[in-house]
């Protein structure tokens, strides 16, 4: 019987992408899990960046490098993605423990947390747990699905199909069929790096989108916090944004025009402008 196919792959061409990234690889242990972090350096306030469900750290390079005049970005390969180890569990509190390990392990003094999608949920939970000191949080289009709230808009099969494509070998043209608006470099990076995402990590996280309720945590997120969402996002709908504003009136909400769930990939100038505006009062 042939061996089962690997659940994670990383080609030399993907590793070579790191040569073009103006960041240093750093490593942290969270229990027995080794986590990889891209540290962009500088003297600014640390900004810990937590990407989405199938976004290894390198895929947010185009965001991080635009923020270096303002902050010191550190982009995390969340467990089960990129160069980080697989994790035994993929619940929000386990992800939050990893984030706390990054802050403590790298000696970061009161960083800001910025997360997109899955990462936004992780940022919220980390802030509420209050195990590490933070200056604030910025949440980008957090999944608001959960018990009694309907399914996550993108079905699991869509993610699994894309993972299968990446492992058999894909390219930017094929990625563009799913994400036609993305900048070409970002399509190329996704084609090379998606196979580094573990199937169980994606499956368990997607399951969590529907079994763990963001709104159980959101009203307790300490300020300052900001929530960015796409005007055309199926993940944070108009109704969801209104509920978020009602449950946490102190939060700053900003709608990104002409953008769906993938804010920075859909409309980079507007999303980056909104993120900078959210961050400026936090590094005080």
């Amino acid at each position: 019987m042939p061996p089962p196919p690997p659940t994670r792959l990383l080609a030399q061409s993907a590793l070579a992408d790191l040569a073009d990234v103006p960041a240093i690889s750093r490593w942290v242990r969270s229990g027995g899990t080794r986590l990889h972090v891209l540290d962009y350096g500088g003297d600014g306030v640390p900004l810990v960046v937590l990407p989405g469900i199938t976004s290894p750290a390198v895929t947010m390079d185009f965001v991080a490098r635009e923020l270096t005049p303002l902050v010191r970005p550190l982009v995390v390969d969340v467990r089960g993605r990129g160069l980080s180890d697989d994790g035994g569990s993929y619940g929000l509190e386990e992800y939050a423990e990893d984030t706390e390990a990054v802050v403590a392990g790298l000696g970061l003094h009161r960083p800001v947390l910025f997360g997109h999608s899955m990462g936004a949920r992780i940022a919220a939970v980390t802030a509420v747990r209050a195990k590490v000191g933070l200056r604030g949080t910025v949440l980008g289009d957090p999944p608001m699905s959960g018990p009694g709230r309907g399914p996550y808009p993108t079905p699991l099969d869509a993610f699994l199909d894309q993972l299968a494509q990446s492992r058999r070998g894909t390219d930017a043209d094929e990625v563009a069929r799913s994400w036609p608006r993305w900048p070409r470099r970002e399509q190329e990076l996704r084609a090379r790096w998606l196979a580094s995402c573990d199937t169980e990590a994606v499956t368990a996280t997607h399951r969590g989108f529907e079994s763990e309720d963001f709104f159980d945590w959101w009203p307790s997120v300490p300020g300052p916090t900001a929530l960015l969402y796409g005007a055309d996002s199926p993940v944070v709908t108009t109704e969801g944004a209104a509920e978020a504003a009602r449950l946490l009136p102190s939060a700053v909400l900003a709608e990104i025009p002409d953008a769906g769930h993938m804010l920075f990939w859909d409309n980079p100038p507007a999303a980056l402008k909104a993120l900078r505006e959210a961050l400026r009062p936090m590094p005080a």
Side-chain angles (χ1 to χ4, degrees):
M1 178 180 293
T7 61
R8 299 179 71 183
L9 297 170
L10 200 55
Q12 187 278 335
S13 58
L15 289 171
D17 287 323
L18 296 176
D20 299 322
V21 173
I24 295 171
S25 287
R26 302 201 182 276
W27 295 88
V28 172
R29 281 190 179 271
S30 177
T33 302
R34 296 166 299 183
L35 301 171
H36 173 250
V37 182
L38 288 175
D39 181 356
Y40 286 74
D43 298 324
V45 167
L47 175 73
V48 177
V49 181
L50 303 164
I53 185 171
T54 53
S55 296
V58 70
T59 65
M60 294 199 76
D61 170 64
F62 77 113
V63 175
R65 67 172 68 204
E66 292 294 328
L67 299 175
T68 52
L70 185 61
V71 292
R72 170 193 170 188
L74 301 104
V75 189
V76 180
D77 266 331
V78 178
R79 64 167 60 194
R81 287 94 175 166
L83 299 182
S84 290
D85 285 347
D86 298 343
S89 179
Y90 298 96
L92 279 172
E93 297 224 44
E94 286 78 18
Y95 284 137
E97 288 172 2
D98 289 349
T99 307
E100 293 157 3
V102 168
V103 173
L106 296 181
L108 306 179
H109 178 64
R110 296 185 61 233
V112 177
L113 299 186
F114 161 58
H116 172 249
S117 188
M118 171 192 73
R121 284 185 155 216
I122 298 169
V125 174
T126 306
V128 174
R129 282 165 54 93
K131 300 288 182 70
V132 290
L134 301 174
R135 293 172 195 259
T137 53
V138 182
L139 312 185
D141 224 67
M144 294 182 172
S145 49
R149 295 181 178 275
Y152 183 70
T154 303
L156 176 60
D157 284 348
F159 286 107
L160 297 182
D161 287 346
Q162 291 173 24
L163 286 174
Q165 289 173 3
S166 70
R167 285 171 192 144
R168 63 140 166 83
T170 189
D171 57 23
D173 289 339
E174 187 169 43
V175 170
R177 292 174 203 151
S178 297
W179 308 103
R181 296 182 57 186
W182 288 16
R184 185 63 173 182
R185 177 176 179 265
E186 310 321 313
Q187 293 168 344
E188 292 170 348
L189 281 175
R190 184 170 179 85
R192 290 192 287 270
W193 280 84
L194 181 57
S196 74
C197 296
D198 178 66
T199 300
E200 177 56 24
V202 173
T203 301
T205 301
H206 189 278
R207 186 164 56 244
F209 287 168
E210 299 178 356
S211 63
E212 297 173 305
D213 194 340
F214 170 74
F215 287 107
D216 286 347
W217 299 89
W218 170 247
S220 301
V221 173
T225 189
L227 193 155
L228 315 181
Y229 64 98
D232 305 318
S233 174
V235 173
V236 178
T237 62
T238 300
E239 294 76 17
E243 183 174 4
R246 177 177 60 82
L247 291 175
L248 190 58
S250 62
V252 175
L253 270 68
E255 182 183 82
I256 311 301
D258 193 30
H261 177 56
M262 302 301 287
L263 308 173
F264 300 91
W265 293 260
D266 291 344
N267 190 345
L272 283 164
K273 180 180 182 218
L275 178 55
R276 290 191 193 98
E277 289 174 353
L279 288 173
R280 279 197 181 97
M282 293 186 185

